[in-house]
């Protein structure tokens, strides 16, 4: 097989095989989306009448199995999620139908109405079990949190935890009646779904752990001119095309308060007014030396009333940052979430079923050599390790397939050398 080729073992809507009708399939995993999503395109003719004969409502079970040139197998099991478009050409109708993993159906039929208490990771695992999801891997649990869920869907609870959960290294000072305080560390969790062997699985981690390679690193993919010519295994490790269109947008990060910010935290329990300053230049592996020279003052001011004794049952003062953890997640989460995706790229590979969203991949981009080229042939700025933000698998009826990856790096991972250290 050529590296673009693939074989479909089965593709069914409900109980009906549509191997002869489909024209293309798109499938996506993304670290910001808690479900695997995609679309299938197929053609129906008046003579065959697949949609009418089978009374298709576009909410049926949907599954397929595809094998690539490496004999790697992708098994997807999910449900159709509505007709997204239809075109009529002569006696043929071209359908575009969205699909999603089956956990969405469970999520939409469950309401959570109770007080939740535990670590962010434990609580997210509980919600995933509620929707009959399976866990792939998890990272450090984070600090205890508690809140009330009032008829929330399980994935709504997960979303709440992602924005308010506190990782182990985030903290905030509280020096009695002192007005100026410090917010320190970084925070931020991620929870998403990847394709498993017959069942999709969830990954949970902190942003810090993700950058450092919580889910392993894949072998190096190379971009070279004159790509074909090696054996099939060698060709499968080559980059078809790439594009790096976003890097170092410091102005946007300054507006978001990614590097330095102030949180006005008025204590509703004691009446004390506090200003928490977050200085990213004091944090490890958050800012480059040039960024530290540029950003000397807070670039964003936020205001959040602080009510820590909200869940206290007695008259005793609750321990700091238990009922209300905004002093430990607000500035810290904004900083981490806005600095770990500083550099964005798009890479097209031959179909890779072992790569998932959240993995690290190693890229080697060669320079276009000229007579004046200095040093080695490798482009140090774009080579090195990247986090896979999204991977999309694209299969067409002409027998060709590609995996298109969106890559990200943090602010300090500016080139091959610093990406390896980050």
């Amino acid at each position: 097989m050529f590296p673009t080729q693939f074989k479909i073992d089965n593709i069914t809507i409900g109980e009906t095989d549509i191997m002869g009708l489909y024209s293309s399939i798109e499938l996506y995993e993304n670290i910001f989306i808690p479900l695997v999503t995609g679309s299938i395109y197929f053609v129906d003719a008046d003579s065959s009448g697949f949609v009418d004969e089978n009374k298709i409502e576009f909410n049926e079970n949907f599954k397929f199995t595809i094998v690539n040139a490496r004999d790697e197998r992708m098994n997807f099991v999910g449900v159709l999620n509505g007709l997204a478009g239809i075109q009529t050409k002569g006696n043929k109708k071209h359908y575009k139908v969205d699909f999603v993993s089956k956990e969405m159906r469970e999520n939409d039929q469950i309401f959570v109405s109770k007080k939740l208490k535990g670590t962010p990771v434990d609580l997210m695992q509980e919600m995933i079990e509620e929707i009959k999801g399976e866990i792939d891997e998890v990272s450090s649990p984070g600090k205890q949190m508690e809140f009330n869920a009032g008829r929330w869907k399980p994935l709504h609870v997960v979303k709440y935890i992602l924005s308010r959960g506190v990782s182990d290294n985030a903290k905030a000072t509280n020096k009695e009646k002192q007005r100026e305080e410090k917010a320190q560390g970084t925070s931020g969790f991620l929870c998403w779904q990847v394709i498993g062997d017959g069942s999709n699985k969830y990954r949970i981690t902190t942003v810090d752990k993700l950058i450092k390679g919580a889910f392993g690193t894949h072998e190096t993919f190379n971009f070279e001119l004159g790509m074909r010519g090696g054996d099939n295994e060698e060709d499968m490790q080559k980059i078809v095309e790439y594009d790096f269109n976003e890097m170092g947008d410091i102005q946007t990060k300054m507006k978001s308060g990614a590097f330095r910010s102030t949180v006005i935290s008025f204590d509703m329990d004691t009446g004390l007014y506090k200003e928490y300053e977050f200085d990213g230049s004091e944090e490890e592996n958050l800012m480059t030396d040039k960024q530290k020279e540029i950003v000397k003052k807070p670039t964003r001011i936020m205001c959040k009333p602080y009510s820590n004794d909200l869940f206290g049952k007695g008259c005793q003062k609750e321990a700091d940052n238990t009922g209300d953890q905004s002093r430990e997640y607000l500035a810290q989460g904004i900083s981490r979430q806005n600095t770990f995706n500083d550099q964005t790229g798009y890479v097209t590979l031959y179909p890779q079923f072992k790569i998932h969203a959240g993995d690290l991949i190693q890229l080697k981009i060669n320079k276009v050599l000229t007579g004046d080229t200095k040093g080695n042939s490798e482009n140090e700025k774009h080579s090195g390790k990247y986090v896979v933000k999204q991977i999309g698998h694209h299969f067409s009826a002409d027998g060709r397939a590609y995996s298109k990856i969106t890559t990200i790096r943090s602010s300090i991972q500016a080139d091959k050398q610093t990406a390896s250290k980050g």
Side-chain angles (χ1 to χ4, degrees):
M1 295 176 71
F2 288 99
T4 58
Q5 289 182 295
F6 64 95
K7 179 180 69 174
I8 296 181
D9 279 358
N10 61 77
I11 174 169
T12 60
I13 292 178
E15 300 300 324
T16 307
D17 193 319
I18 63 163
M19 187 87 75
L21 299 179
Y22 100 98
S23 56
S24 65
I25 297 174
E26 301 171 350
L27 184 71
Y28 299 95
E29 301 172 5
N30 190 304
I31 61 174
F32 296 114
I33 299 175
L35 297 164
V36 175
T37 62
S39 300
I40 177 171
Y41 300 76
F42 67 89
V43 179
D44 191 18
D46 291 339
S47 57
S48 61
F50 164 72
V51 172
D52 293 336
E53 285 288 325
N54 293 278
K55 298 181 179 179
I56 300 298
E57 297 180 359
F58 307 104
N59 56 17
E60 290 78 8
N61 292 330
F62 175 68
K63 63 181 180 180
F64 62 80
T65 301
I66 296 177
V67 182
N68 69 5
R70 273 184 171 152
D71 205 31
E72 296 170 346
R73 188 172 298 271
M74 174 186 289
N75 297 304
F76 176 79
V77 178
V79 294
L80 297 184
N81 194 36
L83 178 65
I86 181 172
Q87 286 186 334
T88 302
K89 296 181 180 179
N91 67 337
K92 294 183 178 179
K93 294 180 180 179
H94 297 257
Y95 291 88
K96 177 186 177 183
V97 184
D98 292 335
F99 60 83
V100 69
S101 43
K102 58 185 175 60
E103 286 78 9
M104 187 193 75
R105 294 278 171 85
E106 297 293 333
N107 177 69
D108 288 343
Q109 301 179 76
I110 298 172
F111 292 94
V112 180
S113 298
K114 62 180 181 179
K115 179 179 178 180
L116 293 165
K117 184 175 182 179
T119 68
V121 167
D122 288 342
L123 294 177
M124 283 190 278
Q125 284 184 284
E126 180 183 339
M127 292 302 106
I128 290 167
E129 290 172 0
E130 287 275 0
I131 61 175
K132 299 179 181 178
E134 295 184 27
I135 302 295
D136 180 21
E137 295 184 56
V138 300
S139 70
S140 53
K143 297 183 180 181
Q144 289 271 332
M145 63 186 305
E146 60 180 304
F147 58 93
N148 289 326
R151 292 186 178 178
W152 293 356
K153 304 290 179 66
L155 291 181
H156 181 179
V157 176
V158 170
K159 181 180 179 181
Y160 181 93
I161 296 169
L162 294 180
S163 62
R164 292 169 173 81
V166 179
S167 59
D168 294 324
N169 72 333
K171 55 186 178 181
T173 62
N174 189 5
K175 299 178 180 178
E176 297 292 331
K177 297 181 180 181
Q178 181 173 308
R179 173 176 167 174
E180 289 78 21
E181 302 281 4
K182 282 189 172 294
Q184 298 169 300
T186 54
S187 191
F189 285 83
L190 295 168
C191 176
W192 70 99
Q193 194 178 43
V194 298
I195 301 168
D197 187 10
S199 61
N200 305 315
K201 298 186 177 181
Y202 281 89
R203 291 177 169 182
I204 303 172
T205 187
T206 62
V207 176
D208 289 329
K209 294 285 186 181
L210 180 76
I211 295 170
K212 293 177 180 178
F215 305 102
T217 305
H218 293 272
E219 295 181 14
T220 302
F221 291 89
N222 301 279
F223 180 80
E224 303 170 359
L225 297 177
M227 294 174 55
R228 290 286 302 166
D231 59 35
N232 194 57
E233 182 62 28
E234 183 181 342
D235 287 334
M236 289 290 285
Q237 288 299 124
K238 291 182 177 178
I239 299 171
V240 179
E241 61 182 9
Y242 71 92
D243 178 26
F244 296 96
N245 64 348
E246 183 178 335
M247 184 187 303
D249 183 2
I250 192 170
Q251 300 304 132
T252 297
K253 289 173 174 53
M254 289 173 68
K255 289 181 175 65
S256 71
F259 300 129
R260 297 192 66 166
S261 64
T262 298
V263 175
I264 297 173
S265 180
F266 184 80
D267 194 327
M268 304 296 289
D269 303 321
T270 65
L272 293 176
Y273 175 91
K274 299 274 188 178
E275 290 187 3
Y276 280 80
E277 182 177 348
F278 177 83
D279 185 353
S281 66
E282 298 177 356
E283 304 297 332
E284 183 180 2
N285 293 332
L286 187 66
M287 298 176 67
T288 65
D289 291 337
K290 287 184 179 180
Q291 289 169 344
K292 292 176 183 177
E293 292 176 2
I294 294 170
V295 186
K296 298 290 188 182
K297 299 177 181 179
T299 57
R300 182 180 181 183
I301 296 177
M302 295 163 282
C303 182
K304 174 70 169 63
Y306 178 77
S307 183
N308 190 58
D309 293 339
L310 180 65
F311 298 106
K313 294 181 179 180
C315 297
Q316 297 291 329
K317 182 180 182 297
E318 295 294 309
D320 288 340
N321 306 311
T322 52
D324 188 337
Q325 296 177 303
S326 59
R327 293 173 175 178
E328 292 188 330
Y329 72 70
L330 193 54
Q332 296 90 330
I334 287 172
S335 175
R336 183 73 281 177
Q337 292 283 359
N338 286 281
T339 54
F340 92 102
N341 59 347
D342 181 67
Q343 183 175 341
T344 302
Y346 302 92
V347 180
T348 301
L349 306 174
Y350 295 117
Q352 305 288 332
F353 297 167
K354 298 296 185 182
I355 298 178
H356 296 289
D359 289 352
L360 289 185
I361 60 170
Q362 185 89 27
L363 303 181
K364 182 181 178 183
I365 310 294
N366 289 332
K367 296 177 180 177
V368 178
L369 299 178
T370 67
D372 299 327
T373 300
K374 297 179 181 180
N376 62 38
S377 61
E378 187 173 354
N379 186 322
E380 297 284 335
K381 177 62 72 174
H382 294 313
S383 295
K385 291 181 181 179
Y386 287 86
V387 174
V388 177
K389 173 185 175 182
Q390 174 178 284
I391 180 166
H393 303 284
H394 302 261
F395 309 95
S396 61
D398 64 4
R400 292 184 294 176
Y402 297 96
S403 294
K404 299 184 178 181
I405 294 174
T406 305
T407 62
I408 52 176
R409 273 180 178 168
S410 71
S411 295
I412 61 165
Q413 296 172 316
D415 53 35
K416 178 182 178 181
Q417 308 303 324
T418 54
S420 299
K421 295 176 182 177

